Amino acid sequence: DSFNKRKKTLITIPDMETLDIADVYKRFKGEMAFHNLDYVGKLELKLPKIPITSVYDYWNKKLYRETLVYNLRDTEIIKELEQKMGLISYFLEPIRRIVGCTFNHALIPTKVSDILYLRLVKKKNIALRTKSPFPLTSKAMEQLLENKNILDYKGAHVYKPESGIINNVAVFDWSELYPSVITTYNIGWNTYRSYDSDYKVAGVYNFTKDEDSWTKLILAQLRKARQEVKKEIKQTSDKEKKALLKARSSGMKAI
């Protein structure tokens, strides 16, 4: 009940966002686990949060100075993280500007892709089909699973690693693997054909070369911009600038 009463007193300020820096850190690092600000502060800065039971309780007990000191430390951690890693200005802000979305939406891959596609098709005066609000029925799901093309497609094979020291190891790294494959085979929602076409992928999916893939068009600008940043990274000897430029490159890669 007390929580519901407090919810009613919350004030919404137009054009103002609440951003959790720990969420940004998680996306930047590409980690699955969510780490709170205390963990991030200790790991990156050796600067932990001040232990406190509850800000709400402290405020009600009129422990104003202790509450302000607690908040000040949080602000200090966020400021120093930004100066060191550029989580907002070099990682999140480029995503927000390129996509044309809010900071919070820049952290959600599905939002980022939806907005990029919608902006592209709007320029082409194309209206996309509306997604059905109704889930698949059990019968429709059975029919889908009966499709042998789906069942026969095994995907990649992951080998079990062997323990021990291994000599003469070669590492093969394909630069921008997914964008390269998408561009080469013109893969996209608009170029997919259910019948045999120009490009056959994995023996199952067919794509035409009659028109450019929307995904390919979106990626082209991003790849060009990222190559420029990579060039700048190689040219600079300043360690701090190099780290910030790498954050910008990571932002483009995230898109």
Side-chain angles (χ1 to χ4, degrees), residues 11 47 49 53 61 66 121 152 154 178 194 222 239:
I11 300 170
L47 188 65
K49 284 168 66 83
T53 53
K61 291 174 183 176
E66 289 83 352
V121 297
D152 291 344
K154 295 177 182 178
Y178 294 118
S194 57
L222 289 168
K239 288 184 179 180

Side-chain angles (χ1 to χ4, degrees), residues 61-220:
K61 291 174 183 176
K62 302 190 186 304
L63 297 171
Y64 301 133
R65 187 179 182 283
E66 289 83 352
T67 307
L68 291 171
V69 169
Y70 171 84
N71 287 330
L72 187 62
R73 171 61 66 84
D74 279 12
T75 306
E76 186 182 2
I77 294 172
I78 292 169
K79 181 184 175 183
E80 291 197 22
L81 271 175
E82 180 61 22
Q83 288 175 340
K84 178 186 176 183
M85 304 179 72
L87 292 174
I88 297 174
S89 56
Y90 275 78
F91 176 69
L92 198 61
E93 173 64 4
I95 299 177
R96 188 194 71 79
R97 282 187 178 276
I98 291 167
V99 178
C101 62
T102 64
F103 280 116
N104 283 291
H105 283 173
L107 291 168
I108 307 170
T110 51
K111 291 286 185 184
V112 167
S113 58
D114 280 354
I115 293 166
L116 284 170
Y117 280 114
L118 288 168
R119 287 185 184 281
L120 179 71
V121 297
K122 185 180 179 183
K123 288 178 184 176
K124 293 177 171 292
N125 293 320
I126 295 171
L128 298 178
R129 295 194 196 104
T130 302
K131 184 179 177 182
S132 172
F134 305 106
L136 282 173
T137 62
S138 56
K139 187 176 181 181
M141 183 62 77
E142 284 175 16
Q143 290 174 344
L144 187 66
L145 292 173
E146 283 173 7
N147 185 334
K148 287 190 177 180
N149 283 344
I150 293 173
L151 295 175
D152 291 344
Y153 178 53
K154 295 177 182 178
H157 180 77
V158 179
Y159 292 92
K160 185 179 179 180
E162 295 180 12
S163 61
I165 298 172
I166 302 169
N167 298 316
N168 302 319
V169 176
V171 177
F172 175 70
D173 184 16
W174 190 338
S175 178
E176 298 182 347
L177 175 61
Y178 294 118
S180 297
V181 172
I182 289 167
T183 301
T184 301
Y185 292 103
N186 204 34
I187 294 172
W189 300 106
N190 59 313
T191 54
Y192 171 72
R193 300 292 181 266
S194 57
Y195 51 84
D196 200 22
S197 194
D198 303 302
Y199 302 109
K200 185 175 280 290
V201 180
V204 177
Y205 303 103
N206 304 292
F207 300 92
T208 182
K209 60 181 179 182
D210 292 342
E211 59 178 312
D212 282 330
S213 151
W214 295 338
T215 313
K216 176 182 170 181
L217 292 173
I218 290 169
L219 286 172

Side-chain angles (χ1 to χ4, degrees), residues 37-49 73 76-77 80-81 84:
L37 190 61
D38 183 57
Y39 173 90
V40 177
K42 287 176 183 174
L43 181 68
E44 297 291 345
L45 308 168
K46 305 293 185 288
L47 188 65
K49 284 168 66 83
R73 171 61 66 84
E76 186 182 2
I77 294 172
E80 291 197 22
L81 271 175
K84 178 186 176 183

